[in-house]
Amino acid sequence: MPGIGYEGTYRVRETLVEAHRIAWRRIAEPGAWLDGARRVAVAAEVRAAEDCALDRERKAALSPFAVEGEHEATDLLSAAEVELVHRLTTDPGRLSRAWTEGLLAAGVSEEVYVEIVSIVCIVMVIDTFRRSLDLAPFDLPEPVAGAPTGYRAPGARRHDAWISLVQPEDVVESDGDLYGPTASPVVKALSLVPQAKRDYWDLAEVHYLPGSEMTDFATDVRAIDRMQMELVAGRVSALHQCVY
Amino acid sequence: MLRASTEVSGAEFDLNAVTGAATGDGGIEGGTLLHAFAEAVTLRDTARTAELRDALVEALGEPAMIDAAAIAAAFHGFVRLADATGTPPAGAAGGQVTMEFRESLGINEFYGARNG
């Protein structure tokens, strides 16, 4: 795949390089609810959001709802889908249940919502990593033709999150590898669309920690110890005003 | 997670540092640099990020700087995942995040805690 590589000043561990290659290729392929062209369009909107005047104005406002204006639809994404991508990219700490319900009422299905969230998060992780090393963002991939699978986890229900998810006891064989008998809330968040969940977590675990290591605070698997890792994680989360 | 890891290690660390309410490395090797690096990356301060990259490589080594960058980037995804889906904080960090703990760190003052 052209434009994907880490030749440069720093030696990036190979597991990260490989995870980025896989994640970038997956963005271009048909997903569960979006085809490759729509998935790449989501990735493009993540980057477009950074130069969006409406997003900047909302971000600067005391309340994002105090600013009038709406995003416009593109050839491949509805106005509501563009709103989801832009707000999630630029102002994630001020989303609300009412805002999410507004997007669902505007025609974004729960399944499409989850798949878009997964893609936005993947692009944010990879673009942020490259920016932090003073590397240019990867070129967007060329979409791969094909139809989405249309798979929704049959055991997904509304619980206490804003979007339906699958509890461990409701996982069925057709969901594929989702999680074991227990899972933290954030691990379950994208489970409505198992492939979207896997796409995100396959990348996230290489960046942070494999699921099996997350509650093992005594073993260090990275080049910084667990306290150092959690200090970085905590500061990033606090700056985003993340309540999780 | 930071609280749990400090408990396991036996180190003492002022958790208010993550919200900016306290400063210093608190006994974490390279803590001041890592804190500043996470902040510079999140605020997209290119010059400061470059300066801190060099400082981290000097202090902790290049693999440590790479992993600090990887974790900072990862949490640009985790926060969006949690925020977009309204993932409830109950049960986070193995259920160790109590309302009292959140209150003590000022997390309950965040927009999402008041308006989610």
Side-chain angles (χ1 to χ4, degrees), chain A residues 47-70:
Chain A
R47 292 177 175 173
E50 297 176 11
D51 297 318
C52 175
L54 176 58
D55 291 321
R56 270 201 303 273
E57 201 179 343
R58 283 176 172 172
K59 178 76 175 169
L62 194 58
S63 165
F65 303 103
V67 177
E68 289 188 15
E70 292 180 358

Short mmCIF file of all heavy atoms in Angstrom, two decimals, chain A residues 47-70:
data_model
loop_
_atom_site.label_atom_id
_atom_site.label_comp_id
_atom_site.label_asym_id
_atom_site.label_seq_id
_atom_site.Cartn_x
_atom_site.Cartn_y
_atom_site.Cartn_z
N ARG A 47 -10.26 14.56 8.84
CA ARG A 47 -9.24 15.56 8.53
C ARG A 47 -9.86 16.89 8.14
O ARG A 47 -9.33 17.95 8.49
CB ARG A 47 -8.32 15.02 7.45
CG ARG A 47 -7.49 13.84 7.99
CD ARG A 47 -6.63 13.23 6.94
NE ARG A 47 -5.77 12.19 7.53
CZ ARG A 47 -5.00 11.39 6.81
NH1 ARG A 47 -4.98 11.50 5.50
NH2 ARG A 47 -4.25 10.49 7.41
N ALA A 48 -10.98 16.84 7.43
CA ALA A 48 -11.63 18.09 7.02
C ALA A 48 -12.13 18.86 8.25
O ALA A 48 -12.17 20.10 8.25
CB ALA A 48 -12.80 17.79 6.09
N ALA A 49 -12.50 18.13 9.30
CA ALA A 49 -13.03 18.77 10.51
C ALA A 49 -12.00 19.73 11.12
O ALA A 49 -12.37 20.73 11.74
CB ALA A 49 -13.43 17.71 11.53
N GLU A 50 -10.74 19.42 10.92
CA GLU A 50 -9.70 20.25 11.53
C GLU A 50 -9.66 21.65 10.93
O GLU A 50 -9.14 22.58 11.56
CB GLU A 50 -8.34 19.55 11.40
CG GLU A 50 -8.34 18.23 12.16
CD GLU A 50 -7.05 17.45 11.98
OE1 GLU A 50 -6.10 18.01 11.44
OE2 GLU A 50 -7.04 16.28 12.39
N ASP A 51 -10.19 21.81 9.72
CA ASP A 51 -10.20 23.12 9.08
C ASP A 51 -11.61 23.69 8.97
O ASP A 51 -11.84 24.63 8.21
CB ASP A 51 -9.60 23.01 7.66
CG ASP A 51 -8.15 22.58 7.70
OD1 ASP A 51 -7.41 23.09 8.57
OD2 ASP A 51 -7.76 21.72 6.89
N CYS A 52 -12.55 23.12 9.71
CA CYS A 52 -13.95 23.53 9.58
C CYS A 52 -14.24 24.74 10.49
O CYS A 52 -14.07 24.67 11.71
CB CYS A 52 -14.86 22.36 9.95
SG CYS A 52 -16.61 22.80 9.98
N ALA A 53 -14.70 25.82 9.89
CA ALA A 53 -14.96 27.06 10.64
C ALA A 53 -16.08 26.85 11.66
O ALA A 53 -16.01 27.37 12.78
CB ALA A 53 -15.32 28.18 9.67
N LEU A 54 -17.12 26.11 11.28
CA LEU A 54 -18.23 25.86 12.20
C LEU A 54 -17.73 25.09 13.44
O LEU A 54 -18.11 25.42 14.58
CB LEU A 54 -19.34 25.07 11.50
CG LEU A 54 -20.53 24.65 12.35
CD1 LEU A 54 -21.23 25.86 12.99
CD2 LEU A 54 -21.54 23.84 11.51
N ASP A 55 -16.91 24.11 13.24
CA ASP A 55 -16.37 23.34 14.38
C ASP A 55 -15.52 24.23 15.28
O ASP A 55 -15.58 24.12 16.50
CB ASP A 55 -15.53 22.15 13.88
CG ASP A 55 -16.40 21.09 13.23
OD1 ASP A 55 -17.49 20.83 13.74
OD2 ASP A 55 -15.97 20.53 12.22
N ARG A 56 -14.73 25.08 14.67
CA ARG A 56 -13.88 25.99 15.47
C ARG A 56 -14.73 26.92 16.32
O ARG A 56 -14.45 27.16 17.49
CB ARG A 56 -12.96 26.80 14.55
CG ARG A 56 -11.63 26.14 14.27
CD ARG A 56 -10.60 27.16 13.82
NE ARG A 56 -11.04 27.88 12.64
CZ ARG A 56 -10.86 27.46 11.39
NH1 ARG A 56 -10.24 26.34 11.17
NH2 ARG A 56 -11.28 28.17 10.37
N GLU A 57 -15.80 27.43 15.70
CA GLU A 57 -16.67 28.36 16.42
C GLU A 57 -17.38 27.65 17.57
O GLU A 57 -17.48 28.17 18.68
CB GLU A 57 -17.70 28.93 15.43
CG GLU A 57 -18.32 30.23 15.88
CD GLU A 57 -19.32 30.78 14.88
OE1 GLU A 57 -19.30 30.35 13.70
OE2 GLU A 57 -20.15 31.62 15.28
N ARG A 58 -17.84 26.43 17.31
CA ARG A 58 -18.50 25.66 18.37
C ARG A 58 -17.54 25.33 19.50
O ARG A 58 -17.88 25.40 20.67
CB ARG A 58 -19.07 24.36 17.80
CG ARG A 58 -20.35 24.52 17.03
CD ARG A 58 -20.74 23.19 16.45
NE ARG A 58 -22.05 23.21 15.84
CZ ARG A 58 -22.54 22.19 15.13
NH1 ARG A 58 -21.83 21.10 14.95
NH2 ARG A 58 -23.74 22.27 14.61
N LYS A 59 -16.34 24.95 19.12
CA LYS A 59 -15.35 24.56 20.13
C LYS A 59 -15.04 25.74 21.06
O LYS A 59 -14.82 25.57 22.26
CB LYS A 59 -14.08 24.08 19.41
CG LYS A 59 -12.94 23.68 20.31
CD LYS A 59 -13.14 22.34 20.95
CE LYS A 59 -11.92 21.90 21.74
NZ LYS A 59 -12.21 20.73 22.55
N ALA A 60 -15.05 26.94 20.47
CA ALA A 60 -14.70 28.13 21.26
C ALA A 60 -15.87 28.64 22.10
O ALA A 60 -15.68 29.40 23.05
CB ALA A 60 -14.23 29.24 20.32
N ALA A 61 -17.08 28.19 21.77
CA ALA A 61 -18.27 28.70 22.45
C ALA A 61 -18.44 28.06 23.84
O ALA A 61 -18.00 26.93 24.07
CB ALA A 61 -19.52 28.42 21.61
N LEU A 62 -19.09 28.77 24.72
CA LEU A 62 -19.34 28.25 26.06
C LEU A 62 -20.15 26.96 25.99
O LEU A 62 -19.91 26.01 26.72
CB LEU A 62 -20.09 29.31 26.88
CG LEU A 62 -20.16 29.09 28.37
CD1 LEU A 62 -18.76 28.99 28.97
CD2 LEU A 62 -20.95 30.23 29.04
N SER A 63 -21.11 26.92 25.08
CA SER A 63 -21.86 25.69 24.80
C SER A 63 -21.84 25.47 23.28
O SER A 63 -22.08 26.40 22.52
CB SER A 63 -23.31 25.80 25.26
OG SER A 63 -24.06 24.76 24.66
N PRO A 64 -21.57 24.24 22.84
CA PRO A 64 -21.57 23.98 21.39
C PRO A 64 -22.94 24.20 20.76
O PRO A 64 -23.05 24.43 19.56
CB PRO A 64 -21.13 22.52 21.29
CG PRO A 64 -21.44 21.93 22.63
CD PRO A 64 -21.27 23.03 23.62
N PHE A 65 -23.98 24.16 21.60
CA PHE A 65 -25.34 24.32 21.07
C PHE A 65 -25.73 25.79 20.93
O PHE A 65 -26.80 26.11 20.44
CB PHE A 65 -26.32 23.57 21.97
CG PHE A 65 -25.97 22.11 22.09
CD1 PHE A 65 -25.36 21.61 23.22
CD2 PHE A 65 -26.23 21.24 21.04
CE1 PHE A 65 -25.01 20.27 23.31
CE2 PHE A 65 -25.88 19.90 21.12
CZ PHE A 65 -25.27 19.41 22.26
N ALA A 66 -24.84 26.69 21.36
CA ALA A 66 -25.13 28.12 21.27
C ALA A 66 -24.79 28.66 19.88
O ALA A 66 -25.14 29.79 19.56
CB ALA A 66 -24.31 28.88 22.32
N VAL A 67 -24.12 27.86 19.07
CA VAL A 67 -23.70 28.33 17.74
C VAL A 67 -24.66 27.79 16.69
O VAL A 67 -24.90 26.58 16.62
CB VAL A 67 -22.26 27.84 17.44
CG1 VAL A 67 -21.83 28.25 16.04
CG2 VAL A 67 -21.30 28.38 18.49
N GLU A 68 -25.19 28.69 15.88
CA GLU A 68 -26.11 28.26 14.82
C GLU A 68 -25.31 27.76 13.62
O GLU A 68 -24.19 28.18 13.39
CB GLU A 68 -27.02 29.43 14.41
CG GLU A 68 -28.04 29.77 15.49
CD GLU A 68 -29.04 30.79 14.99
OE1 GLU A 68 -29.12 31.01 13.78
OE2 GLU A 68 -29.74 31.36 15.85
N GLY A 69 -25.93 26.90 12.84
CA GLY A 69 -25.28 26.40 11.64
C GLY A 69 -25.30 24.89 11.61
O GLY A 69 -25.43 24.24 12.66
N GLU A 70 -25.22 24.35 10.42
CA GLU A 70 -25.22 22.89 10.25
C GLU A 70 -24.19 22.49 9.22
O GLU A 70 -23.88 23.26 8.31
CB GLU A 70 -26.61 22.42 9.77
CG GLU A 70 -27.70 22.60 10.80
CD GLU A 70 -29.05 22.12 10.28
OE1 GLU A 70 -29.12 21.69 9.11
OE2 GLU A 70 -30.02 22.18 11.05
#
